[in-house]
Amino acid sequence: MAGGSRRAVAVLCGIQFVDVLGVTSGITALPAMLSGVSAPPAATPVLATVYAMFFGGLLVLGARLGDRYGHRRVLLLGCAAFALVSLVGASAQEVVQLVTARGLQGAAAAISVPSALRLLLDASPEPDDRRGALAAWSASGAAAGALGLLVGGVLTDVFDWRAVFWVNLPVGLVLIVAVRLTIPRSPGEREPVRLDLTGAALLTGAVMALIVGASALENPHARTAGALLIVAGLAAGAVFVVHQRRVSAPLVPRAAFASANLRTGTVVSFVNTATTSSTGVLATLSLQQERGISAVGAGLALVPFSLGVVVGSALTKPLGARLSVRRLAAAGLAGIAAGNLLLVLTYGSVAGVVAGVAVAGIGLGVASVAGTAIGTDVADDLSGTASGVLNTGAQLGTAVGVAALLLLAATVGGSGTAVAWAVAAGLAGVTGVILLTPASLRSRA
């Protein structure tokens, strides 16, 4: 890979890191945020989910905006919006302003990430280079998701909760300059793409309802409302599918719906986050509630997860030379399953948590690269849409996986956390086995 391409990949992975970091970095600071604007505890669920809600709901629309107006231009717009909106959050004096800032940050991230992934694919056209670029992309995103809790806690403890917003301003400005210096304008970037605004509204509403509904299931007093939101989200999703079949210029091109690679990659992305985000949340709660460890201490205990993701992503290059991409994804999912099983077998041990999340992290690093490689192995005109769909699948996996396994752990009680980890292991393992099943057998099922 040429030096210019390496710099471009590094900058684009930096954007992925910053945008995904925003999902979890505000979680640790939630109590301080609510106290700082004199907000009632009832505002916690909304503030906790609004970033992920807008981020997950607008990813596909962000991808199509890139297809229409140019991915470099849309990426720069997203970076600028992310930085400027941080000023709104940092100066917030009331909860409405704070919620608005987090929501707009999520929207800016949704605009940025699909275009960044498309530009990363363009910067690494050769198979070996692309494998390395996707490894760096997956490592940066997964590491950011895990490190966010620690970063948010450190910024809040050392400075103030407003630092969680302030830090994004200089970072955003640096990224804008870096993109302008490293990402060239592409003469073939603009395409006459029509935007399906009705489809965008339906898909955004469906994803948002599913994310908020899944989060509400974690609260015993809001489970009825959460279930109704999930039903509404599924209904909106069904209407979206019908609408896509009837409209002449759908939000998700028909070729994308027909792509077996995109479907497989999206399932892998969903399972990856469903079985690891939930693992991290359960481990954090277990360390704090059962072992009496502080929030920062629990965050430090999860650092091996991030390191494991980096190691797993690096392993994909030598492993990819020996294994097909489907087998590589299955191997990664097996690693996630093994990490969760290790957590079950060492339940109650801090050392077991550290070892278990490290193994799961290695598995996630491998599976993330493979899943993204499968899902983006589509025609060039579909790569932007594919990036949006894959990231949406990952966001839904986080929301649904965390909600379902927290609910399971709470319902079982006692050793419910271990049971939830066992279920996560089973889901990852079964998905890996299905990936290894010959296509002829899968088509008969």
Side-chain angles (χ1 to χ4, degrees), residues 36 75 81 89 95 191 222 258 270 304 314 327 362 381 417:
L75 176 58
V95 70
E191 301 173 13
F270 178 92
R327 290 181 179 274
I362 293 172
D381 60 342
T417 298

Side-chain angles (χ1 to χ4, degrees), residues 68 75 82 106 136 349 378:
R68 177 166 181 170
L75 176 58
F82 193 85
S349 164
V378 296

Side-chain angles (χ1 to χ4, degrees), residues 162-430:
R162 296 181 189 276
V164 175
F165 289 97
W166 280 122
V167 72
N168 291 317
L169 182 60
V171 169
L173 294 177
V174 168
L175 288 176
I176 290 171
V177 173
V179 169
R180 292 183 66 87
L181 291 176
T182 62
I183 309 298
R185 291 184 176 89
S186 174
E189 200 172 33
R190 300 181 191 177
E191 301 173 13
V193 176
R194 291 173 56 190
L195 290 179
D196 174 19
L197 297 180
T198 301
L202 287 169
L203 179 59
T204 300
V207 174
M208 286 183 173
L210 288 171
I211 290 174
V212 176
S215 299
L217 289 180
E218 301 169 26
N219 182 352
H221 304 294
R223 284 176 184 164
T224 300
L228 290 174
L229 280 171
I230 289 175
V231 171
L234 293 174
V239 175
F240 169 76
V241 171
V242 173
H243 172 77
Q244 294 297 282
R245 291 177 177 174
R246 293 180 177 177
V247 72
S248 59
L251 180 71
V252 179
R254 291 181 179 86
F257 274 113
S259 172
N261 283 344
L262 182 53
R263 291 197 302 269
T264 300
T266 303
V267 169
V268 173
S269 294
F270 178 92
V271 174
N272 283 345
T273 55
T275 55
T276 55
S277 296
S278 54
T279 295
V281 171
L282 287 166
T284 300
L285 294 175
S286 176
L287 290 171
Q288 293 183 67
Q289 296 175 355
E290 298 174 18
R291 309 294 297 182
I293 295 174
S294 67
V296 172
L300 288 172
L302 294 183
V303 168
F305 177 80
S306 301
L307 298 177
V309 172
V310 174
V311 171
S313 298
L315 288 174
T316 57
K317 194 163 187 177
L319 289 175
R322 298 175 175 83
L323 300 175
S324 69
V325 69
R326 294 182 73 92
R327 290 181 179 274
L328 192 62
L333 288 165
I336 294 173
N340 277 284
L341 285 176
L342 183 56
L343 288 166
V344 174
L345 295 174
T346 60
Y347 181 65
S349 164
V350 175
V353 168
V354 172
V357 298
V359 173
I362 293 172
L364 177 60
V366 174
S368 293
V369 175
T372 304
I374 294 171
T376 55
D377 186 13
V378 296
D380 287 343
D381 60 342
L382 292 179
S383 60
T385 299
S387 66
V389 171
L390 289 171
N391 280 286
T392 300
Q395 288 302 308
L396 285 175
T398 296
V400 174
V402 170
L405 294 186
L406 282 181
L407 179 60
L408 175 63
T411 301
V412 173
S415 59
T417 298
V419 173
W421 281 328
V423 170
L427 177 59
V430 168

